[in-house]
Amino acid sequence: MTLPTTRIPDPNDAPALRWGVLAPGGIARDWTAALHATTASRVVAAGSRSLERARAFAADFDVDRAYGSYDELVADDGVDAIYVASPHSEHHDHALLAIEAGKPVLVEKAFTRNAAEAAEVIDAARAAGLLLVEAMWTRFLPHIDVVRRCLEDGLLGDVVAVEADHGQLLFPDGPQRMADPALAGGALLDLAIYPIAFAHLALGGFTEVRATGTLTDAGVDAGETVAVIGPQGAVGTLSSTMRAKTPCAASISGTAARVEIDGWFYQPNTVRLIDTDDRELDRFETPRREHGLAYEAAEFARLLTAGATESDLLPLDETLRLMQVLDEIRGQLGVRFPGEG
């Protein structure tokens, strides 16, 4: 028994796009560095509420144009697509701003604050016939495609259990947005989204979701454990916290074998195939560990060049279903963001 190969192409082989970065913060810096290092695409414009910040970003990454407003950025005729890298609380408005300007959009995860906002953005993009993709970078990585193929080919037998965790030490001394309800802070949208999305792929969706967790004094979730059941009765145990670094491992166990991804499972990684006697049968090593964010940008470039309006690797309907799961978990935990309807 051996692992299948990946179908994910080298990012270097993707068509070139001219990108505009909306909100040039930390994740935008990582994404741009990956884009410039391993693809033919380039960021040609950056927009921020602070012209000084946009200019600093442009200088650091040799970007042609810097704007002190998002409206100017999305109106730039020399930009093929917009990457929305603002806090979760702003994704809805900023994605709609780009769509209304006729620009295809790659929106950072979590896609929006809630499912209602996600539905509005998806409906707007579909009505305009524009490409829209959630930047859940894990879905576009080679090792996750190996896992996907294991599931498609029935290599593991009947899937019985999924486990995944994601914990980072980000509170109380981490980024301020993590603790701020107004910015849709908390562990769920930043950290738990990874194990939840992984289990959703492995199980083919959820029929039941049960969550328990703890909240900070400000009312955002500090961490949670989520138990899920898939359509065929398989169970998932998922956890996250922003108060400690955890192993960040993931596994899918079936009646014939299991696959394991060790620490940082959501980044470019190694997949190991283990038989029912705990013997390692095979392993897949991601060919390029660095600059993993380039894979989602490369997928977007291929899709846009082909005239597609969404990705088969993460369809918009699944993005919406995942937001509905996050809403359900927040409801069980008692987390509500200011201004939600």
Side-chain angles (χ1 to χ4, degrees):
M1 187 184 296
T2 58
L3 286 167
T5 58
T6 185
R7 297 164 293 192
I8 302 297
D10 189 318
N12 280 300
D13 297 333
L17 294 184
R18 300 170 300 174
W19 283 93
V21 167
L22 190 156
I27 186 62
R29 287 180 167 272
D30 291 344
W31 185 87
T32 301
L35 186 83
H36 287 183
T38 56
T39 80
S41 294
R42 290 294 178 269
V43 174
V44 299
S48 172
R49 291 175 297 182
S50 162
L51 180 57
E52 181 180 1
R53 190 179 186 190
R55 284 174 172 167
F57 179 91
D60 288 345
F61 292 100
D62 195 24
V63 171
D64 297 338
R65 299 178 293 282
Y67 298 112
S69 76
Y70 301 137
D71 294 275
E72 291 177 284
L73 174 69
V74 300
D76 188 331
D77 290 335
V79 167
D80 298 319
I82 298 293
Y83 170 56
V84 172
S86 50
H88 310 304
S89 55
E90 313 305 313
H91 288 179
H92 168 267
D93 290 352
H94 292 160
L96 288 179
L97 181 71
I99 291 167
E100 289 164 3
K103 293 292 196 296
V105 196
L106 177 66
V107 183
E108 253 310 324
K109 61 84 195 157
F111 190 68
T112 51
R113 292 187 304 175
N114 54 52
E117 290 183 348
E120 287 185 20
V121 174
I122 290 169
D123 288 346
R126 285 174 169 167
L130 292 170
L131 175 61
L132 175 67
V133 178
E134 180 182 7
M136 170 55 71
W137 65 307
T138 306
R139 280 296 180 94
F140 308 103
L141 296 175
H143 76 291
I144 295 299
D145 189 55
V146 170
V147 172
R148 185 185 290 110
R149 291 198 67 184
C150 287
L151 297 169
E152 292 172 352
D153 297 345
L155 189 66
L156 308 181
D158 296 330
V159 172
V160 175
V162 178
E163 296 184 6
D165 77 281
H166 186 196
Q168 303 292 341
L169 184 54
L170 299 174
F171 178 85
D173 299 322
Q176 185 271 339
R177 67 175 182 83
M178 295 293 296
D180 191 345
L183 297 178
L188 185 66
L189 270 62
D190 249 281
L191 304 177
I193 180 65
Y194 285 110
I196 290 167
F198 179 81
H200 202 269
L201 172 67
L203 301 180
F206 307 144
T207 59
E208 189 173 342
V209 177
R210 299 283 183 89
T212 186
T214 57
L215 307 185
T216 70
D217 291 342
V220 300
D221 59 299
E224 50 272 314
T225 295
V226 182
V228 299
I229 298 178
Q232 306 304 317
V235 298
T237 306
L238 319 169
S239 64
S240 69
T241 179
M242 61 179 182
R243 299 185 64 183
K245 175 67 175 71
T246 65
C248 299
S251 65
I252 305 172
S253 299
T255 54
R258 73 179 185 269
V259 287
E260 294 183 352
I261 310 171
D262 294 332
W264 308 95
F265 76 88
Y266 55 90
Q267 297 186 8
N269 215 315
T270 299
V271 176
R272 296 184 292 120
L273 180 66
I274 313 293
D275 71 9
T276 55
D277 292 320
D278 282 334
R279 294 174 299 189
E280 182 176 311
L281 301 178
D282 196 13
R283 63 171 54 201
F284 169 82
E285 301 278 357
T286 297
R288 175 182 287 122
R289 291 290 186 105
E290 73 278 8
H291 302 306
L293 290 166
Y295 285 97
E296 65 184 7
E299 168 73 356
F300 193 98
R302 286 188 289 268
L303 293 168
L304 187 59
T305 302
T309 56
E310 60 183 285
S311 172
D312 290 340
L313 299 180
L314 183 55
L316 293 175
D317 286 344
E318 183 167 3
T319 285
L320 181 57
R321 286 194 294 271
L322 285 167
M323 289 308 310
Q324 291 166 342
V325 170
L326 298 182
D327 283 358
E328 173 65 20
I329 293 170
R330 281 203 295 124
Q332 293 182 26
L333 296 178
V335 174
R336 189 176 184 83
F337 300 135
E340 287 188 297

